[in-house]
Amino acid sequence: TCVRDDTGNPLHFISQFIDIDDRKRAEAERDLAEAERNRAVAELHDALAALRESEAKYKFLVEGTPVPLIELDRDLDISTANGALGDLLDRDPIGLSVWDIVHPEDHERLIQLCGDDVGDDIVLDVRVLTGGGRERWVRSHTRVHLDAERMLASVTATWTDITEARREAEDLRLR
C-alpha cells in the first residue's frame, strides 16, 4: 500500500508478506488424494462391470445347462443348484440334505465311495427320491473339495437322469 503525504506525494510503501507454502502444499495433497480417489472409483467401477459380466456368464452356464448341477456345503446340504435339479426332484432342492434325497439303501455305498480317494472325481449311480415320492436313478459325477486342513469344504456334482436307460437295459436283460 502506498502511503502519501498531505499533498498526495508518495512517502513510502507498506506491504505484508504471507507464507502460503503450507496452504499450497495442502492443496497439492488434496488434489493428489482426489486424483487417487477418482482412479480408485474408476477401478471399482471397472471391477463391478467385470463382476456383473462374470455373474451373467455364470448364471447363463448354470441355468442354461439342461443337466442338473448341485453344490453341497460341508454339512452335505444343497447350497446351490440349477433349475434342472429342481425339475428332476420335483421340488426346490436348496437347503435339503443329500441324505433326504438319496435313497436310504444307497447311503452306505455313498459313504464308502466318498471315503476313498477324496479329492478325485467320483462317478456313482444312485437312486434319488423326488418330491412326489418317485424313485429316479441318477449318474452322479462328483468332485469333493477339501479345505486347507483336508476337511470337507464342499461337493459339486452333475446328476444325469439314467432311469429310462436302466429300465431299457433291464428289459433287454429279461428278454
Side-chain angles (χ1 to χ4, degrees):
T1 303
C2 181
V3 177
R4 299 181 185 275
D5 64 16
D6 294 337
T7 62
N9 293 322
L11 293 173
H12 59 273
F13 286 93
I14 298 176
S15 60
Q16 179 181 20
F17 293 94
I18 299 173
D19 183 359
I20 60 170
D21 284 347
D22 290 342
R23 186 179 78 198
K24 289 295 186 180
R25 191 172 14 261
E27 288 173 356
E29 288 173 2
R30 180 202 62 210
D31 293 345
L32 181 61
E34 185 176 340
E36 288 176 7
R37 185 187 64 80
N38 289 341
R39 186 171 42 257
V41 167
E43 287 175 6
L44 181 59
H45 183 278
D46 293 345
L48 286 173
L51 180 61
R52 284 187 196 102
E53 181 180 340
S54 176
E55 183 179 27
K57 286 179 183 178
Y58 172 79
K59 186 174 182 178
F60 171 77
L61 285 173
V62 170
E63 290 303 321
T65 300
V67 174
L69 302 174
I70 183 173
E71 180 180 29
L72 305 172
D73 62 21
R74 67 180 60 245
D75 297 321
L76 299 179
D77 295 333
I78 298 175
S79 58
T80 308
N82 66 352
L85 183 65
D87 294 343
L88 172 72
L89 298 176
D90 293 327
R91 58 182 160 167
D92 181 5
I94 302 299
L96 295 175
S97 171
V98 72
W99 306 116
D100 295 333
I101 296 170
V102 173
H103 193 286
E105 292 176 13
D106 293 339
H107 286 186
E108 187 61 35
R109 196 163 41 99
L110 186 62
I111 291 168
Q112 287 173 348
L113 199 70
C114 289
D116 301 340
D117 301 325
V118 174
D120 292 339
D121 290 344
I122 301 165
V123 178
L124 175 68
D125 293 351
V126 294
R127 291 168 289 175
V128 295
L129 303 173
T130 69
R134 292 181 303 128
E135 187 177 291
R136 306 290 298 176
W137 278 94
V138 296
R139 177 157 295 140
S140 178
H141 291 262
T142 305
R143 180 168 291 168
V144 176
H145 306 276
L146 304 176
D147 63 18
E149 288 82 36
R150 300 221 19 98
M151 299 297 293
L152 178 68
S154 66
V155 177
T156 54
T158 62
W159 283 2
T160 304
D161 188 348
I162 59 169
T163 305
E164 295 306 317
R166 286 185 70 97
R167 278 193 194 127
E168 290 171 7
E170 183 65 19
D171 288 347
L172 285 174
R173 190 184 67 75
L174 294 175
R175 287 185 190 170

